[in-house]
Amino acid sequence: MGPTQTRVLVTGAGGFIGHHLVTYLKERGYWVRGVDLKYPEYTDVNADEFEVRDLRRWDECIAATRNVDHVYALAADMGGMGFISANHALILHNNALINLHTLEAARLNCVSRYLYTSSACIYPEYLQTEADVTPLKEDDAYPANPQDAYGWEKLVTEKLCEYYTADYGLEARIVRFHNIYGPYGTYDGGREKAPAAMCRKVALAEDGNSIEIWGDGEQTRSFCYVDDCVEGVYRLMQSDYREPLNLGTEEIVTINELANKVIAVAGKSGIVFKHVEGPMGVRGRNSDNSRLRDVLRWEPRITLDEGLPRTYRWIEKQVHTASRGL
């Protein structure tokens, strides 16, 4: 390692976005330490160092943040709506500990830059009651009324990052993710997000079968492909912008439309929807990227029609491999 090489820590590096970010940073010449409770599930480790640590513990956070210049804080106990809506106490407890400890440890270890990954879940429920939703601007976060514990904890940590910048001079960056998807992410087990769940259901369905969709399927979202996500995160980290910033697309679809797109990618026919009771989250959510464009002179470019085939093909392969017992 050269004397001028920047040393970076990625927490949550065993997870979906974290693993992609490690790869992105390595390709750009950074020395990367990955830390997580688990190793990446679907790929090999590609960090310079990978340490299995429980970041709910103070001593583990001190060790994880040693001798690094930048921290990308992605570690979180999270999942899709099924998990988030059923584990409020667990999520608030675990994620508060992770973020309180990691941020303070980074300060004590003289980290110069710190990027915190927040979420569109911080936005007030009262602004997301219609499917034809007005895209959410960063300033819409207050008056605060997140839907669940996951959103409340994210919002509190955003404020903590701002205070650490003001009080201690730690250069913190805050990104609000809007529904990130792509290959090498959780697709079964209860923690998967909507695009991965839909890909799995379609991959398992034969022509003429039905797939289950929670609610009436008319709830709306925008989805951001993981390659755009990690590029946006990196661009924000390099910038001098200290306030929260949306990172998503403005391409809004209903969940039924998402399902139809996946079915088209799969080339299957006659698949019908069976709408069942289940957590739907807010009725509608979309990202307003005006500030993203102004700040970074950039925005996500990969459309759903480009990103879904890549995601589906990978999940289809996993499902069929598992079904053959390989």
Side-chain angles (χ1 to χ4, degrees):
M1 186 183 73
T4 60
Q5 190 175 27
T6 303
R7 296 172 62 93
V8 172
L9 166 67
V10 176
T11 73
F16 165 48
I17 301 172
H19 170 74
H20 282 275
L21 181 60
V22 168
T23 301
Y24 186 92
L25 293 169
K26 283 295 299 170
E27 288 172 350
R28 277 147 193 82
Y30 289 84
W31 183 96
V32 182
R33 175 186 298 138
V35 170
D36 206 319
L37 269 176
K38 62 180 179 62
Y39 289 100
E41 200 167 343
Y42 308 108
T43 57
D44 294 331
V45 168
N46 56 357
D48 294 279
E49 291 178 358
F50 193 100
E51 299 175 354
V52 175
R53 296 189 180 277
D54 185 345
L55 296 178
R56 293 171 297 186
R57 291 176 41 177
W58 169 244
D59 59 329
E60 295 278 68
C61 288
I62 284 287
T65 55
R66 74 193 186 281
N67 302 323
V68 294
D69 305 300
H70 298 167
V71 172
Y72 291 84
L74 279 70
D77 197 354
M78 59 90 67
M81 272 313 304
F83 178 77
I84 285 177
S85 62
N87 294 278
H88 296 296
L90 181 79
I91 285 170
L92 185 50
H93 173 266
N94 287 349
N95 291 343
L97 287 177
I98 289 167
N99 290 314
L100 288 167
H101 288 334
T102 306
L103 195 50
E104 175 66 1
R107 179 183 77 86
L108 291 178
N109 276 323
C110 301
V111 167
S112 61
R113 283 189 179 235
Y114 190 98
L115 186 137
Y116 175 61
T117 53
S118 185
S119 165
C121 290
I122 64 93
Y123 287 111
E125 199 166 2
Y126 58 77
L127 294 178
Q128 304 173 81
T129 57
E130 303 293 333
D132 186 18
V133 67
T134 301
L136 295 161
K137 296 178 179 289
E138 285 82 357
D139 294 341
D140 289 335
Y142 299 94
N145 185 30
Q147 184 185 31
D148 47 43
Y150 182 72
W152 278 111
E153 192 279 326
K154 289 288 191 187
L155 198 59
V156 168
T157 305
E158 285 190 8
K159 297 307 295 183
L160 190 63
C161 287
E162 292 173 9
Y163 293 138
Y164 265 65
T165 297
D167 294 358
Y168 302 129
L170 175 61
E171 284 289 346
R173 305 289 178 261
I174 302 163
V175 63
R176 292 174 181 163
F177 288 156
H178 286 251
N179 301 305
I180 314 303
Y181 75 101
Y184 305 107
T186 300
Y187 63 90
D188 62 1
R191 289 183 183 241
E192 65 275 15
K193 301 288 190 71
M198 207 65 72
C199 289
R200 184 196 75 245
K201 291 174 182 180
V202 172
L204 289 169
E206 302 291 340
D207 289 353
N209 285 174
S210 65
I211 60 171
E212 289 189 350
I213 293 178
W214 290 346
D216 63 3
E218 291 302 308
Q219 61 269 37
T220 55
R221 296 290 187 276
S222 62
F223 297 98
C224 180
Y225 191 68
V226 67
D227 289 4
D228 277 336
C229 171
V230 295
E231 182 176 351
V233 162
Y234 180 71
R235 285 171 177 263
L236 177 58
M237 183 64 125
Q238 306 311 308
S239 79
D240 58 4
Y241 191 72
R242 293 175 168 178
E243 295 175 31
L245 195 66
N246 281 336
L247 178 52
T249 73
E250 296 175 328
E251 182 186 2
I252 192 168
V253 293
T254 68
I255 298 301
N256 289 332
E257 287 169 344
L258 176 69
N260 279 321
K261 283 180 178 290
V262 175
I263 291 167
V265 169
K268 296 187 177 182
S269 61
I271 293 178
V272 297
F273 302 159
K274 181 182 178 183
H275 292 101
V276 299
E277 286 292 314
M280 292 188 293
V282 294
R283 188 60 174 165
R285 176 182 292 153
N286 196 11
S287 178
D288 185 315
N289 285 353
S290 303
R291 189 170 295 179
L292 178 70
R293 287 188 288 268
D294 289 344
V295 170
L296 300 185
R297 297 284 182 259
W298 172 91
E299 68 179 318
R301 298 180 297 269
I302 300 169
T303 65
L304 258 181
D305 288 339
E306 293 170 313
L308 272 180
R310 306 177 197 176
T311 308
Y312 178 79
R313 296 299 172 212
W314 180 80
I315 291 176
E316 179 185 49
K317 183 178 179 181
Q318 306 308 304
V319 167
H320 290 163
T321 299
S323 69
R324 294 197 303 268
L326 300 177

